[in-house]
Amino acid sequence: MSSYLRSTIHTALLATALGTGVASAAEPQQTTFIEEIEVIVVTGSYIEGAAEDAALPIDVLRAEDLAKQGSPSMVELIKQIPAVQGVVGESNQFTAPNTSGAGSINLRGLGAVRTLVLMNGRRLAPSPAGAIGYDTNLLPVAALGRIEVLKDGAAATYGSDAVAGVVNFITKRGFEGMSVEGAYSYIDGSDGDYNANLSWGMKGESWDVLVAGGYRRRSELSTTDRDFALQSLAANPQGGYSSFGNPGVFIIPGGTGANANFRDPGCAALGNLATVDSRGGPQCQFQFTAFDNLVEEEEHYNLYTEFNMLFGESTELHVEAMYAAHDVPEENSSPSYAPTQGPAGTGPTFTISKSNPGLAAILPLLTDGQRTAINNAQVLAVSGLQWRPYGVGGNPLTGEGKQDERFFDGARLSASLKGEVSAFNWDVGVTYMVNTREIVTPDIVVTRLQAALNGLGGPNCTTATPGANGCLWLNPFSSAVQSNIVTGQVNNVTFDPNTVNSRELAAWLYQDNTIEDETSSFIVDAVLNGQMPIGFQAGDISWAAGVQYREETLERDPNDLADITKNPCVNSLSTGNMNCAVQSGIFTFLGPTTPADLSRDVKAVFGELNVPLLESLSAQVAVRYEDYGGSVGSTTNPKFSLRWQTTDWLTFRGSVGTTFRGPTQTQLVNAPATVLTFTPAAGGYKTYDVFGSENLKPEEALTFNVGAIFKAGGFNATVDYWSYDFEDALETESGSEIVAAFFGTSPTSANQCDNPAFDQLQTRFTFSGNTCSIGALTRVRTNTINGPDQKLSGIDGGISYLFDEVLGGDLLIGADATYTLEYKRDAAIVEGVQIQKADDFVGTRGASGIGAGTLPELRGAAFVDYQTNWLAPQGVRLTARYIDGVTDVRAGLATTSPRGIEIGSFLTYDLVYRLSLPAETTFTASVINLADKDPPFVRLDLGYDPFIANPYGRYFKVLLNKKF
């Protein structure tokens, strides 16, 4: 779908919703009409109860609680929940490619796709960026009244995806007047972040309406603004260093020994590192992350409206509509990618004419033997394993790094009717949501790069004579580069101003690899609930039953240049060739994309009973049958829960059940998606092609929870033990582990090229020149599979105490924490070869198959909150947040350096002050990360782990809220 058409549809949808006051239906989680009451249908059940007293482990975060924490952004809020691990949203370029601006929620570290996200009790459409599950950055913060976090499997109630639990975002009800809010965060090194929210509500005798909108801007923060982000090669071998740089290393065909190749003489002068590879060959290490950002410039905006009307005494109409978007117009990255394929369509090798003007300044600095070898060959060669077209001199199109674009938006419309008939209640709802993503990534066309290296580049080249009649040369040498644009180091060794590469040539070399994809969900559900005419002495049996129909679609539409059906071969654009053994597309780095137009229907029936066995003991039974059809089939999942009120102050609760998740539609398609992953054995990044399979089965898990609730006066506490036992977990094979099993964990390790036991595993690799070696490796195939069994368990705890009348005010202290006891995983086998041993991965990061990426044993927060009316209503809150240290278990790290294997813990303090001013105005001032502590050092591209920390250091935030 074109951007214009998509925009038109969304505008029409929104205008219709706003013009008629139509909005979307709150499922059973909504309160009764207009007035808030304590007994509601809470997340995890279709039967009434109170969230904090439920038989299931539910945390409730109310809007006023968030205000006391300084009104954190959605990503900040989610990362502060102790039960959440591994959140996307800080810096996504390396942790979750093609998702910049998006956010996720990942309960228990099982992966974001295993946490179901609801809005007003009904489903959202999943993000087109499938790995992040549901995009929480599209949710309307200004409209939210509370968030309920169910930390238990809930497939028996909600169906697929509710494996780890459910997070339900519930909007305000019965809001009157207007609230305007603005905030600014001062962040050293950036222009700061700011946001504005507005909400307006009105209600009459039988109706109410809410309109809310928000805008948030994050400013760019460069890696050069934080010392931890750019470290030396010795300090952080994974800190964005690549031997595929510019200046690079060049091959002399026919040369031998020291005359077989040479390192560009401008390497060190321009700030790169002159090193040698495992065979003693020359390298020129380039730190590409100097061109990246820790935080990209982002704009977020959303608009939400809902309308409620009561007909008669009990029938309620609820309608809601939402539109939201976030835009990253300039995601900075390396000035160019290192080629992964060349004009032959296999290895990334290109030829350079000896007549290339850039060579003249290089030749006098080479040895006599090298110059003789070049004269004999009359040609040079260069490989994408040792060079890239643009490096330290920047990209001529931008004057800095290459700039990509990432745009996401979503529109949602939902409506429901609910009421009473005789002895039961009914609720019927219809929800439609569509999410889109547009990814624009410039990349160099292979055949154009080869032509330019030989003087036949440019849009106006009309002759076969190099450098004549509009034909342009690409100078691949350091003689084209005057200085390192990041460090300012001047090239006084090889620079020739007459051979600088032009912007015109770069514009011709680069073409946009564009992918537009769209996911949608159309959901119809109907629920009945009530009480049976039979029961026990303690009360009647409550029941609920329902049906649900979901239509889920996914469309993927690449532009012609990226479309494998239109440009499958390396020379398709230049010659029209459509037949090639390897369909790797026309670009030097990015692979082609297969168009997709997928849809499926999911049907479900479900029911539950709440049985009051005794006045102090109740049981709840739930079951859901869900049918995917086709090869996926159907599944039935039951759940049993108990709640025992032993005394006025002590309650026990427990649950056991099965839960499941069906394969996504893209996982069922045998077509590749290309990703880039750092590979220790290669000493750099390699290209991995991820394939789906129509033979995938749903994953299943047995979940168990047992806990207690304590309430006595001002004292409140909860403690829960939880566990998940997985079978057939849906995952992608670890490409880096496959490479490590075959080639070892360093460039000097022995390989298995001649070992018959590894013959099948060798079929997963594509080599340059069909030579089996780590140096010739260009691509790796990985598959989406039903993987090894997994088991994890842990303990959640929360405690608080309210002291009344302390110096004329109220003092509240409390703490929440999650302690993960185990995350065991069976051995991973690929093509008969064990690539990962069975182990317990709690307290680690980097293990394949672990959805969190990083899994600390302990994370939690403690706070002290004091509120007083002295002089004016005001309060102060100090919060300490702690994340335990972990061990980095990625293969091959210890072979280069022991530093960073053990990653330190992270303890920060936030201070928030709130003051109520006249005229319903509230002022809030916050100091986040009071002690200005850097995130723990991690051997990643950016020097820290975006899953668990942020790069800001100490920053200051002020907020003003005015109600009318």
Side-chain angles (χ1 to χ4, degrees):
M1 183 183 295
S2 72
S3 298
Y4 174 78
L5 181 57
R6 183 179 71 237
S7 175
T8 302
I9 290 174
H10 288 173
T11 301
L13 173 66
L14 204 59
T16 301
L18 293 174
T20 60
V22 174
S24 127
E27 194 164 278
Q29 285 69 15
Q30 283 300 314
T31 63
T32 57
F33 183 70
I34 301 228
E35 293 188 344
E36 193 88 26
I37 61 174
E38 296 232 346
V39 178
I40 55 175
V41 178
V42 299
T43 303
S45 173
Y46 291 96
I47 298 173
E48 291 182 349
E52 293 90 336
D53 295 328
L56 304 175
I58 299 175
D59 289 342
V60 180
L61 305 173
R62 296 176 174 83
E64 53 267 31
D65 301 325
L66 302 180
K68 292 178 181 179
Q69 299 179 42
S71 299
S73 70
M74 184 62 72
V75 171
E76 292 167 339
L77 161 66
I78 290 170
K79 291 176 77 169
Q80 291 169 7
I81 300 173
V84 169
Q85 308 272 20
V87 171
V88 167
E90 285 298 345
S91 178
N92 297 357
Q93 183 176 162
F94 298 107
T95 54
N98 299 329
T99 65
S100 288
S104 71
I105 186 163
N106 179 5
L107 288 172
R108 305 297 187 206
L110 290 170
V113 292
R114 295 188 175 109
T115 297
L116 179 64
V117 177
L118 307 175
M119 184 172 176
N120 289 330
R122 288 192 157 88
R123 283 175 173 258
L124 305 173
S127 171
I132 70 168
Y134 300 87
D135 188 351
T136 53
N137 274 350
L138 293 177
L139 296 173
V141 174
L144 296 180
R146 72 180 187 274
I147 303 167
E148 293 182 354
V149 183
L150 171 60
K151 300 174 293 184
D152 194 17
T157 304
Y158 296 110
S160 182
D161 302 342
V163 178
V166 179
V167 181
N168 189 10
F169 293 86
I170 301 169
T171 55
K172 304 171 185 176
R173 292 297 300 271
F175 179 77
E176 282 191 287
M178 179 181 292
S179 174
V180 180
E181 180 178 280
Y184 174 77
S185 297
Y186 171 79
I187 300 166
D188 184 34
S190 89
D191 292 336
D193 295 354
Y194 46 90
N195 65 274
N197 292 310
L198 182 147
S199 54
W200 172 83
M202 178 181 289
K203 65 180 183 179
E205 291 185 3
S206 61
W207 58 271
D208 67 23
V209 64
L210 171 69
V211 178
Y215 173 81
R216 182 167 73 97
R217 179 185 175 89
R218 298 183 81 192
S219 295
E220 178 181 296
L221 180 67
S222 173
T223 54
T224 59
D225 291 315
R226 294 292 185 269
D227 292 339
F228 64 79
L230 296 177
Q231 300 190 33
S232 68
L233 177 63
N236 185 7
Q238 280 71 48
Y241 287 93
S242 173
S243 58
F244 323 148
N246 184 317
V249 173
F250 299 88
I251 302 165
I252 307 174
T256 59
N259 300 325
N261 54 26
F262 66 89
R263 179 191 300 117
D264 191 306
C267 174
L270 282 166
N272 282 359
L273 298 176
T275 60
V276 295
D277 62 23
S278 58
R279 296 171 298 279
Q283 290 182 321
C284 184
Q285 295 277 357
F286 165 57
Q287 192 173 26
F288 57 83
T289 48
F291 293 87
D292 290 313
N293 289 324
L294 291 164
V295 177
E296 303 294 346
E297 175 188 329
E298 299 176 12
E299 287 190 297
H300 300 251
Y301 39 96
N302 58 73
L303 183 62
Y304 172 86
T305 183
E306 74 172 51
F307 176 75
N308 305 287
M309 176 168 281
L310 184 64
F311 299 94
E313 294 184 357
S314 63
T315 302
E316 180 186 348
L317 169 69
H318 172 86
V319 192
E320 67 184 40
M322 179 189 79
Y323 175 78
H326 48 79
D327 186 18
V328 178
E330 297 177 355
E331 180 187 72
N332 276 25
S333 62
S334 171
S336 71
Y337 298 125
T340 58
Q341 67 167 336
T346 52
T349 301
F350 296 80
T351 59
I352 304 169
S353 168
K354 182 177 177 292
S355 302
N356 191 297
L359 183 59
I362 302 297
L363 286 174
L365 300 173
L366 304 182
T367 67
D368 290 340
Q370 290 167 340
R371 286 194 295 272
T372 299
I374 292 171
N375 285 329
N376 290 337
Q378 289 295 301
V379 70
L380 291 173
V382 67
S383 168
L385 302 174
Q386 298 174 306
W387 168 87
R388 68 184 64 203
Y390 300 105
V392 295
N395 186 304
L397 296 175
T398 64
E400 47 181 340
K402 184 171 66 69
Q403 293 177 344
D404 308 327
E405 301 173 35
R406 306 288 184 257
F407 178 80
F408 292 70
D409 69 349
R412 185 175 186 266
L413 180 63
S414 182
S416 72
L417 276 173
K418 64 180 180 180
E420 298 178 10
V421 173
S422 186
F424 60 86
N425 304 316
W426 56 272
D427 186 337
V428 179
V430 179
T431 301
Y432 177 73
M433 184 172 184
V434 58
N435 287 335
T436 63
R437 173 180 66 165
E438 185 172 7
I439 305 167
V440 181
T441 311
D443 195 7
I444 292 176
V445 176
V446 172
T447 52
R448 292 186 178 187
L449 177 58
Q450 180 59 81
L453 288 169
N454 290 327
L456 299 175
N460 301 313
C461 184
T462 59
T463 181
T465 304
N469 297 319
C471 297
L472 303 175
W473 288 95
L474 175 70
N475 180 358
F477 305 102
S478 62
S479 52
V481 183
Q482 183 176 12
S483 65
N484 184 318
I485 65 169
V486 174
T487 66
Q489 290 168 275
V490 176
N491 179 10
N492 52 15
V493 177
T494 63
F495 177 60
D496 180 354
N498 296 315
T499 63
V500 172
N501 289 313
S502 70
R503 191 181 190 282
E504 179 187 11
L505 179 62
W508 179 76
L509 290 173
Y510 276 99
Q511 297 296 305
D512 287 342
N513 182 305
T514 300
I515 302 172
E516 294 184 13
D517 40 18
E518 176 182 288
T519 55
S520 73
S521 294
F522 175 71
I523 306 162
V524 179
D525 47 29
V527 179
L528 301 176
N529 66 66
Q531 292 186 330
M532 291 184 174
I534 59 172
F536 295 83
Q537 186 174 358
D540 293 335
I541 297 174
S542 300
W543 61 274
V547 295
Q548 184 179 83
Y549 168 79
R550 303 198 307 270
E551 181 187 49
E552 302 171 340
T553 70
L554 182 143
E555 296 180 25
R556 181 156 295 148
D557 184 18
N559 67 350
D560 288 353
L561 298 180
D563 190 334
I564 196 171
T565 67
K566 297 179 179 179
N567 283 288
C569 306
V570 69
N571 59 350
S572 291
L573 184 63
S574 58
T575 68
N577 178 31
M578 298 292 288
N579 298 308
C580 46
V582 179
Q583 294 189 335
S584 51
I586 67 171
F587 291 107
T588 57
F589 177 76
L590 297 171
T593 297
T594 303
D597 188 357
L598 309 173
S599 66
R600 69 180 176 193
D601 299 332
V602 182
K603 307 175 184 69
V605 295
F606 51 89
E608 61 179 294
L609 296 174
N610 187 31
V611 183
L613 302 172
L614 303 169
E615 287 189 4
S616 61
L617 179 66
S618 63
Q620 190 168 334
V621 181
V623 64
R624 183 178 180 113
Y625 170 82
E626 194 152 298
D627 184 10
Y628 280 77
S631 62
V632 177
S634 62
T635 180
T636 301
N637 294 92
K639 187 169 186 174
F640 177 73
S641 307
L642 275 176
R643 185 178 187 275
W644 180 27
Q645 183 83 45
T646 60
T647 68
D648 290 342
W649 55 271
L650 176 61
T651 304
F652 292 102
R653 63 188 180 190
S655 65
V656 62
T658 64
T659 189
F660 78 100
R661 180 171 69 95
T664 65
Q665 295 186 77
T666 53
Q667 288 177 326
L668 294 169
V669 177
N670 187 26
T674 300
V675 297
L676 180 69
T677 303
F678 182 81
T679 307
Y685 280 80
K686 290 294 181 182
T687 303
Y688 294 83
D689 298 315
V690 182
F691 286 78
S693 170
E694 62 182 9
N695 297 318
L696 292 172
K697 301 181 294 183
E699 64 181 17
E700 297 182 351
L702 176 67
T703 65
F704 176 76
N705 190 96
V706 61
I709 305 170
F710 305 86
K711 287 188 175 183
F715 177 77
N716 289 273
T718 62
V719 62
D720 289 277
Y721 168 82
W722 48 267
S723 70
Y724 298 79
D725 199 342
F726 275 91
E727 291 183 356
D728 297 321
L730 289 162
E731 62 182 52
T732 299
E733 297 166 336
S734 170
S736 58
E737 298 282 2
I738 291 174
V739 172
F742 194 90
F743 291 104
T745 57
S746 76
T748 59
S749 301
N751 63 49
Q752 305 295 335
C753 291
D754 299 318
N755 187 341
F758 287 75
D759 283 351
Q760 283 300 113
L761 193 62
Q762 187 172 331
T763 63
R764 298 294 193 93
F765 306 127
T766 300
F767 298 105
S768 174
N770 294 320
T771 301
C772 179
S773 72
I774 189 63
L777 179 64
T778 58
R779 306 185 83 89
V780 181
R781 174 178 175 138
T782 62
N783 295 327
T784 303
I785 60 169
N786 289 110
D789 292 350
Q790 304 177 30
K791 181 175 182 179
L792 69 157
S793 64
I795 297 172
D796 290 338
I799 187 170
S800 67
Y801 194 91
L802 176 63
F803 297 88
D804 295 325
E805 297 302 321
V806 177
L807 299 176
D810 294 333
L811 177 67
L812 178 66
I813 61 174
D816 294 281
T818 291
Y819 186 82
T820 304
L821 296 170
E822 62 179 344
Y823 200 131
K824 293 180 179 178
R825 176 177 161 86
D826 286 352
I829 309 295
V830 176
E831 305 291 1
V833 176
Q834 179 176 297
I835 66 167
Q836 183 189 64
K837 67 177 183 178
D839 210 339
D840 186 348
F841 292 99
V842 68
T844 70
R845 76 156 316 280
S848 63
I850 304 301
T854 304
L855 192 70
E857 282 186 304
L858 175 66
R859 62 181 300 158
F863 67 89
V864 179
D865 190 288
Y866 182 72
Q867 308 287 325
T868 180
N869 289 322
W870 181 68
L871 297 181
Q874 57 186 307
V876 63
R877 184 184 185 102
L878 178 66
T879 305
R881 307 188 192 281
Y882 177 79
I883 300 175
D884 216 1
V886 295
T887 300
D888 199 326
V889 297
R890 286 175 293 164
L893 288 191
T895 62
T896 52
S897 170
R899 184 171 186 258
I901 302 299
E902 296 299 326
I903 300 166
S905 59
F906 193 35
L907 175 63
T908 60
Y909 300 91
D910 299 340
L911 182 65
V912 179
Y913 171 73
R914 300 180 74 230
L915 174 64
S916 294
L917 299 170
E920 294 191 271
T921 302
T922 302
F923 171 77
T924 304
S926 308
V927 184
I928 309 299
N929 193 352
L930 192 62
D932 196 22
K933 188 172 181 180
D934 283 343
F937 168 69
V938 183
R939 282 170 60 177
L940 293 172
D941 302 89
L942 301 178
Y944 86 106
D945 189 344
F947 282 142
I948 60 174
N950 71 59
Y952 290 134
R954 179 172 55 230
Y955 66 96
F956 305 88
K957 180 177 180 179
V958 292
L959 180 148
L960 195 66
N961 179 282
K962 175 72 173 73
K963 291 183 171 62
F964 299 90

